[in-house]
Amino acid sequence: MKKKKMTKKQKIRWSIIAGVLALLLLIGVFVYSQMRTNTAKENKYQTVTLKKSDPLTFNGVVQATNTQDYYLDQTLGKISEINVQDGQEVAEGTVLLSYTNTEYQAQADEQSTNLDKLNLAVANARETLALAQDKQAKEQQKLNDAITNYNNTNENSEEGAAKKEQYNQEKTQYESSLDAASDAVVQARQALESANVELSAANQSVNTIRGKVSSTIASATKGIAYINEKGKNDPSVPAVKIVSNEVTVEAKASEYDYPQVHQDAAVTIKPITTNQEIAGTITHVNKLPDQASEAAGQAGAAGAAATSSVSNYSFIVKPAEELQYGYNVQVVLPLDEIRIPKKAVKKTGNTHYVFAYRKGKVREVTIQAEDKGDYFLLKDGLKDGDRIISNPDKSLRDGQELAVD
């Protein structure tokens, strides 16, 4: 069967139709291209959701709040007895160690012999004084009698004059004897006083030495006593260690984290062997670093080794509950801070601002922030959970509708 040829009018009609279809296709391609371009333009911004920084974690060890070691003190002699038992709970003032010093014992025995001699000297001096005082009294009586006789004798007769002269001579003689007896009393009293002084000094010396023969050492704190018998003879080993019942956690922060560690800050203590989480409070932060630790790193294109010194700072945490002495723990310090990427912050004059993304639009928000070098530390203007544009540019405007990735 022979096909019918198209007429000229039909050919024109189909040519128009084909042209229109081609035009529509070109328009479609152009529109699609523009839509993709606009979408790409609208989606060129990214956002970041603000949140508080991750907490810092430090390694720590549970330690007694106070420990006291008691070593052999050879100046006190030898430890004759350890007065407490291992594991015993002791109070402040409990006697822990008893000492005996044989050297002082020998000195005390020697001083005791000398003390006997001094006691005898005092007794002799006392007796000498008594004799001198007795002789003084007798000489005084003789003088008194001579004075009485002299005063009562009448010298008007020859015999009376002779008697009076005799009593006068006796009076003079007894006065001289009384003076000598009085001097003897003074000397005897001085000798007794000297003997008493020597005896008192010797007694004090003996008592001091005897006090060193036997001595005790008492605990300065309360706690649990731990005994090491080796320490009775070895001054390098504590014979008794007193460990307080109360414990603290000692942890260390590097110089990078040290500025975040503050006294009275609340932390969480996590023993590494259990699932416990115990509240705690930082009670002390050491202002001086511990010994610096050496950290090696790679530097330069050739990979040359570089060594830097990193300082560590100790701090003390008081747990709210009891913990086993010696446990290794982690100390978790929450950070109540929000960091903003540096590229997200714009500045006009002294004013810092960001673009917050809210319900499909961006809003210019003025903020208070502290420049920390690699980031800004938010002080005011935004809050945890806010969403901001992380890569704003000069074309971004307040109130602009935006589709973001």
Side-chain angles (χ1 to χ4, degrees):
M1 186 176 178
K2 195 172 181 183
K3 286 184 180 182
K4 223 179 193 181
K5 287 186 179 181
M6 294 178 62
T7 64
K8 185 176 181 181
K9 184 183 283 189
Q10 287 177 327
K11 288 181 180 181
I12 293 172
R13 184 184 300 158
W14 281 110
S15 296
I16 293 172
I17 292 174
V20 170
L21 289 175
L23 179 61
L24 290 175
L25 179 61
L26 289 174
I27 293 173
V29 171
F30 176 77
V31 169
Y32 178 73
S33 175
Q34 288 297 109
M35 289 178 62
R36 283 181 59 91
T37 301
N38 290 338
T39 300
K41 183 175 182 180
E42 289 181 351
N43 291 345
K44 72 177 180 178
Y45 298 106
Q46 289 85 42
T47 63
V48 60
T49 301
L50 300 181
K51 65 176 183 177
K52 290 184 178 180
S53 299
D54 293 334
L56 298 176
T57 301
F58 309 96
N59 294 324
V61 178
V62 180
Q63 297 183 344
T65 302
N66 183 44
T67 61
Q68 188 73 46
D69 294 331
Y70 296 87
Y71 294 86
L72 168 64
D73 185 350
Q74 293 176 315
T75 63
L76 300 178
K78 295 182 178 180
I79 296 176
S80 57
E81 184 181 1
I82 297 179
N83 301 87
V84 291
Q85 302 296 319
D86 190 53
Q88 176 182 336
E89 187 167 350
V90 301
E92 182 180 347
T94 301
V95 174
L96 304 176
L97 301 172
S98 294
Y99 280 86
T100 299
N101 194 314
T102 55
E103 182 179 340
Y104 284 123
Q105 181 65 61
Q107 291 182 23
D109 293 342
E110 182 180 346
Q111 289 286 347
S112 295
T113 302
N114 184 49
L115 202 61
D116 292 339
K117 294 179 181 179
L118 291 174
N119 276 312
L120 180 59
V122 169
N124 290 337
R126 189 177 290 115
E127 183 178 353
T128 300
L129 176 60
L131 292 172
Q133 289 173 331
D134 183 61
K135 184 176 182 180
Q136 182 188 36
K138 288 179 179 179
E139 295 299 326
Q140 183 67 55
Q141 186 59 49
K142 288 178 182 181
L143 177 60
N144 291 342
D145 291 343
I147 293 173
T148 300
N149 290 334
Y150 176 79
N151 291 334
N152 293 334
T153 300
N154 189 344
E155 60 183 0
N156 292 331
S157 64
E158 185 178 343
E159 183 181 356
K163 282 286 187 183
K164 192 152 187 156
E165 179 62 27
Q166 177 186 342
Y167 291 143
N168 186 49
Q169 290 178 359
E170 288 179 357
K171 184 167 68 77
T172 302
Q173 177 185 347
Y174 292 146
E175 285 176 347
S176 178
S177 297
L178 180 59
D179 288 341
S182 296
D183 289 341
V185 169
V186 171
Q187 292 176 7
R189 184 174 287 112
Q190 290 175 344
L192 178 58
E193 290 175 355
S194 178
N196 277 323
V197 169
E198 290 186 26
L199 178 60
S200 176
N203 270 320
Q204 185 176 354
S205 177
V206 168
N207 290 335
T208 301
I209 293 173
R210 283 175 178 168
K212 294 180 179 179
V213 171
S214 298
S215 57
T216 57
I217 299 297
S219 177
T221 59
K222 66 178 182 178
I224 306 299
Y226 295 95
I227 310 302
N228 189 336
E229 291 288 341
K230 184 181 178 182
K232 291 180 69 174
N233 301 307
D234 186 350
S236 67
V237 177
V240 180
K241 178 190 287 287
I242 303 298
V243 179
S244 64
N245 293 318
E246 295 182 351
V247 296
T248 54
V249 174
E250 181 177 344
K252 295 183 185 298
S254 74
E255 61 188 81
Y256 300 107
D257 298 328
Y258 177 73
Q260 310 296 335
V261 181
H262 301 286
Q263 187 171 331
D264 298 328
V267 298
T268 301
I269 303 169
K270 297 181 178 181
I272 63 174
T273 57
T274 68
N275 293 324
Q276 283 180 286
E277 291 191 0
I278 299 172
T281 304
I282 297 176
T283 58
H284 175 74
V285 181
N286 199 343
K287 294 183 179 180
L288 297 177
D290 303 334
Q291 285 187 344
S293 60
E294 296 298 324
Q298 297 296 322
T307 303
S308 62
S309 179
V310 178
S311 294
N312 290 301
Y313 296 79
S314 298
F315 63 95
I316 302 298
V317 177
K318 178 68 177 176
E321 302 176 22
E322 291 186 1
L323 274 169
Q324 176 59 44
Y325 174 71
Y327 268 19
N328 290 293
V329 298
Q330 288 185 327
V331 177
V332 180
L333 174 64
L335 294 181
D336 189 17
E337 66 176 31
I338 296 176
R339 298 181 179 186
I340 303 178
K342 197 146 192 178
K343 290 183 178 180
V345 179
K346 310 299 287 184
K347 183 177 180 181
T348 301
N350 294 324
T351 302
H352 293 88
Y353 63 93
V354 298
F355 287 98
Y357 185 72
R358 297 167 183 169
K359 297 180 180 180
K361 293 183 178 182
V362 290
R363 296 296 180 185
E364 185 178 304
V365 179
T366 300
I367 62 171
Q368 301 293 325
E370 181 180 352
D371 191 343
K372 289 293 187 177
D374 295 333
Y375 59 91
F376 278 94
L377 186 63
L378 178 66
K379 298 296 183 181
D380 194 21
L382 295 169
K383 64 182 184 300
D384 186 18
D386 282 345
R387 193 176 175 189
I388 64 173
I389 303 298
S390 62
N391 59 334
D393 56 23
K394 294 181 180 180
S395 64
L396 204 56
R397 295 290 181 268
D398 181 50
Q400 181 176 337
E401 292 187 358
L402 205 65
V404 298
D405 292 335

